[in-house]
Amino acid sequence: MQIGFVRPFVSSDFALRLQPDGSIYVYYKNYSKPAVERDATSFSGLGLMIALFLATPLPWRRRLARLGLGTLVLLGFHLIALWGLIAIWDAMFRSGEISFAMHWAYMLIASGDWLAPLASWGLLGFLRREIATQYAHSEEKGGGSYASV
C-alpha cells in the first residue's frame, strides 16, 4: 500500500519493491544494492499506539474512533517518511554530501517510528478536557481515587 501511494511522487530512476519479509527496498537505476531499506519492523510503533489508545480512560467508541484516526496519522507519517528517505538519498547522490538539514530530517524519520504514535496519542487520545470530565463523572458516583482507611 505504501509503495502504491508513494510511487507517483518518486522519479522514474527509483524502483520500489516489496520484499517477502514485508520490508520495502528502493533501488536506484543500475545499482544492485538498495538505496533505501524500510524494514517491516518500522511498523512496531503501531503496536505502541494500539496499546496507548486502549489504555486511555475514554468510552470505547471514542477510544476506537481515535485509534482509527491515529492509525491514519501513522500511515501518513510512514508515507511521508518513505518519500523523505528517497528524497534525501537522491539529494545526497546528486550533491555527493549530506547537508545539516538532510541529517536532521533523516534523524526525525528514524525516531519517528516511536515518536509518531506518541504524538498522535497525545493529540487525539489524551485530551485533557475529556479525561477531566470522565474523572469528575466518576467522583459524582463516589469512585474516588483513594481508599478510606
Side-chain angles (χ1 to χ4, degrees):
M1 185 167 69
Q2 278 189 37
I3 292 173
F5 282 132
V6 172
R7 184 75 198 126
F9 302 103
V10 177
S11 80
S12 61
D13 294 338
F14 292 95
L16 289 83
R17 294 191 188 123
L18 182 65
Q19 300 300 318
D21 66 351
S23 301
I24 297 172
Y25 286 8
V26 180
Y27 293 91
Y28 183 74
K29 285 187 181 178
N30 299 326
Y31 285 12
S32 60
K33 292 180 77 176
V36 175
E37 297 178 24
R38 192 81 170 135
D39 294 332
T41 58
S42 67
F43 288 99
S44 56
L46 180 62
L48 171 65
M49 188 175 64
I50 291 170
L52 289 171
F53 274 102
L54 292 180
T56 304
L58 288 173
W60 278 102
R61 282 191 179 186
R62 285 188 193 150
R63 201 180 304 189
L64 294 176
R66 304 249 169 105
L67 176 59
L69 285 173
T71 302
L72 290 176
V73 168
L74 190 61
L75 174 64
F77 168 78
H78 278 284
L79 294 174
I80 292 169
L82 181 59
W83 175 79
L85 288 172
I86 294 168
I88 289 169
W89 195 90
D90 188 37
M92 187 175 65
F93 180 76
R94 293 180 192 281
S95 69
E97 61 186 21
I98 187 166
S99 71
F100 182 75
M102 288 191 305
H103 176 72
W104 280 101
Y106 181 80
M107 295 209 25
L108 179 66
I109 291 169
S111 62
D113 290 334
W114 294 103
L115 292 178
L118 286 171
S120 66
W121 173 70
L123 292 173
L124 297 170
F126 200 68
L127 298 173
R128 180 183 272 173
R129 187 177 77 208
E130 287 191 17
I131 300 298
T133 303
Q134 285 291 110
Y135 181 73
H137 185 65
S138 70
E139 283 291 318
E140 290 173 5
K141 291 184 174 181
S145 58
Y146 296 105
S148 59
V149 180

